């Protein structure tokens, strides 16, 4: 089970082998961004790491139930950590909704020895309200989609937080705010898909 934190930076591609960090340059919608990947086998994410990361990837092996359990426990700990933050630092609501978090099932090419099903991964992703994708680093299946999807999620979350911030500054009555929030939740539930990394 690996935990990866991504930080979005300015243009340019570099790899820092000494510190174990890798930076990848990605072009999305005509805008270039660098994703710095910080990998950790540690299940415990500090509050500083959690708040500093733009995206968090929780990776498990589809051939190892223990790694899947560890990934699920990691999501639980992150949700608890997020819920301990002040409400002002969670513009998109409680839990992991304010962070671009993606559950990644790796080794999807090993179909004959697969133990953790795609449905298991989706179920956990839906439970924690995070995105989900299966990859195979060996045959490079869905790796580019994961990186572009992580950047897309970061940008979508930032836009949604900015829109909500503007909305909170507008002068709504209490009843209007409640109605607006219920409508947004219904729309969000209707179109929510943990598999689509290009939608919230």
């Amino acid at each position: 089970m690996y935990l990866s934190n991504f930080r979005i930076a300015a243009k340019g591609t570099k790899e820092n082998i000494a510190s174990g960090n890798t930076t990848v340059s990605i072009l999305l919608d005509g805008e270039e961004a660098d994703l710095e990947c910080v990998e950790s086998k540690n299940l415990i994410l500090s509050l500083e790491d959690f708040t500093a990361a733009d995206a968090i990837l929780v990776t498990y092996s589809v051939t190892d139930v223990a790694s899947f359990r560890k990934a699920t426990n990691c999501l639980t700990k992150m949700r608890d950590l997020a819920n301990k933050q002040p409400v002002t630092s969670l513009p998109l609501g409680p839990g992991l909704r304010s962070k671009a978090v993606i559950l990644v099932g790796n080794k999807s090419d090993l179909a004959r020895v697969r133990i953790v099903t795609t449905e298991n991964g989706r179920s956990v992703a839906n439970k924690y309200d995070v995105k989900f994708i299966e990859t195979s680093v060996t045959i490079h299946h869905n790796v580019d989609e994961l990186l572009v999807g992580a950047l897309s999620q970061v940008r979508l979350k930032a836009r949604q937080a900015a829109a909500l911030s503007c909305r909170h500054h507008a002068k709504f009555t209490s009843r209007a705010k409640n109605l607006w929030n219920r409508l947004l939740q219904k729309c969000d539930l209707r179109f929510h898909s943990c598999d689509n990394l290009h939608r919230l």
Side-chain angles (χ1 to χ4, degrees):
M1 206 274 322
Y2 284 94
L3 188 66
S4 297
N5 299 329
F6 281 96
R7 294 181 184 92
I8 310 302
K11 292 182 185 177
T13 303
K14 58 187 175 287
E15 190 169 325
N16 187 348
I17 296 171
S19 68
N21 298 352
T22 303
T23 303
V24 179
S25 185
I26 295 180
L27 184 66
L28 178 63
D29 298 330
E31 293 180 46
E32 188 174 357
D34 285 348
L35 271 68
E36 178 187 6
C37 179
V38 181
E39 290 187 37
S40 171
K41 290 185 181 182
N42 189 0
L43 289 177
I44 301 170
L45 189 67
S46 70
L47 181 61
E48 294 81 24
D49 289 339
F50 181 78
T51 54
D54 292 312
I56 300 172
L57 307 183
V58 180
T59 308
Y60 67 91
S61 169
V62 300
T63 63
D64 183 7
V65 173
S67 74
F68 183 66
R69 278 193 217 112
K70 286 179 184 178
T72 304
N73 290 337
C74 184
L75 288 171
T76 302
K77 290 176 184 179
M78 282 194 305
R79 181 182 60 195
D80 295 344
L81 186 65
N83 287 334
K84 289 179 183 175
Q85 291 185 317
V87 177
T88 55
S89 66
L90 298 170
L92 304 180
L96 299 174
R97 300 191 92 195
S98 292
K99 215 31 106 172
V101 180
I102 303 173
L103 180 62
V104 182
N106 193 29
K107 300 184 182 180
S108 63
D109 59 310
L110 301 177
R112 291 184 185 199
V113 290
R114 174 188 281 268
I115 298 171
V116 182
T117 66
T118 302
E119 291 74 28
N120 294 139
R122 272 195 198 108
S123 175
V124 168
N126 283 324
K127 176 182 176 183
Y128 290 94
D129 204 14
V130 300
K131 294 298 183 176
F132 172 74
I133 190 170
E134 286 191 339
T135 63
S136 172
V137 175
T138 305
I139 62 171
H140 206 68
H141 174 69
N142 278 346
V143 174
D144 290 337
E145 289 81 355
L146 172 61
L147 295 174
V148 171
L151 178 59
S152 180
Q153 281 297 300
V154 168
R155 289 182 180 173
L156 288 168
K157 298 271 183 182
R159 285 184 200 129
Q160 186 181 30
L164 287 174
S165 174
C166 290
R167 193 183 81 216
H168 286 301
H169 292 298
K171 297 197 179 218
F172 284 118
T173 66
S174 179
R175 289 179 111 187
K177 277 186 183 178
N178 289 336
L179 176 63
W180 183 252
N181 287 334
R182 282 195 309 249
L183 286 172
L184 283 177
Q185 286 173 347
K186 284 183 182 178
C187 290
D188 196 21
L189 291 174
R190 197 174 336 141
F191 295 108
H192 178 74
S193 168
C194 67
D195 294 319
N196 190 342
L197 298 181
H198 299 286
R199 290 196 178 270
L200 284 174

